[in-house]
């Protein structure tokens, strides 16, 4: 069973900014490309993709939330941005509540007991072929 699990960093209501590298790392992909990658990941994992947040306005960013400290172990292709600890700049990602009005943020895929985070290896495997990106560093 793939029940939704509310990690402590997911707010009860609305949405809240969280600094990357502490509760999670994030990989960000823009627009249609991000939506396509999210759909492929959800399908490839049988609906157990882990937390993927969609910013439904503006550039329509898709944020894939990875375990803390894991985004830097991969060489991501052009157009894919990683946010986590050990970077020159501090980054924050908006996290919506599991229920209620969270506009403009919404869950494309929710965290669950079986998938509390997106598997960075699975995400990288989906993205690597498009740019000939090497395996993990």
């Amino acid at each position: 069973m793939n029940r939704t699990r509310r990690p402590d960093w997911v707010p009860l209501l609305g949405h809240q900014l969280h600094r990357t590298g502490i509760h999670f790392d994030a990989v960000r992909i823009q627009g249609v490309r991000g939506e396509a990658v999210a759909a492929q990941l959800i399908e490839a994992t049988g609906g157990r993709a882990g937390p993927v947040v969609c910013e439904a306005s503006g550039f329509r960013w898709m944020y894939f939330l990875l375990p803390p400290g894991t985004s830097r172990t991969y060489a991501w292709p052009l157009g894919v941005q990683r946010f986590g600890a050990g970077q020159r700049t501090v980054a924050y990602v908006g996290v919506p509540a599991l229920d209620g009005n969270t506009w403009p943020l919404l869950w494309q895929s929710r965290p669950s007991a079986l998938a509390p985070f997106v598997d960075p290896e699975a995400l990288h495997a989906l993205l690597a072929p498009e740019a000939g990106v090497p395996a993990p560093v």
Side-chain angles (χ1 to χ4, degrees):
M1 191 170 195
N2 192 28
R3 293 186 7 198
T4 298
R5 179 180 83 89
R6 190 186 73 77
D8 59 355
W9 44 265
V10 173
L12 290 172
L13 298 169
H15 46 79
Q16 186 175 35
L17 291 175
H18 286 283
R19 184 175 170 182
T20 59
I22 297 173
H23 300 290
F24 53 80
D25 281 5
V27 170
R28 179 172 86 169
I29 306 172
Q30 185 178 357
V32 174
R33 180 181 180 204
E35 292 168 6
V37 170
Q40 290 172 338
L41 185 63
I42 291 165
E43 183 178 338
T45 60
R48 296 185 180 119
V52 180
V53 176
C54 175
E55 188 177 291
S57 63
F59 291 112
R60 294 181 16 229
W61 295 106
M62 198 70 64
Y63 293 87
F64 299 82
L65 306 184
L66 314 177
T70 59
S71 68
R72 66 177 164 220
T73 60
Y74 294 88
W76 301 98
L78 290 175
V80 175
Q81 298 170 308
R82 74 170 181 87
F83 302 103
Q87 293 187 245
R88 288 182 165 183
T89 59
V90 174
Y92 291 84
V93 171
V95 176
L98 294 175
D99 297 305
N101 183 5
T102 62
W103 182 260
L105 303 175
L106 51 112
W107 291 104
Q108 193 75 15
S109 174
R110 294 171 179 244
S112 70
L114 297 174
F117 297 102
V118 170
D119 177 1
E121 189 172 333
L123 179 60
H124 185 265
L126 281 174
L127 292 166
E130 70 184 50
V133 175
V137 177

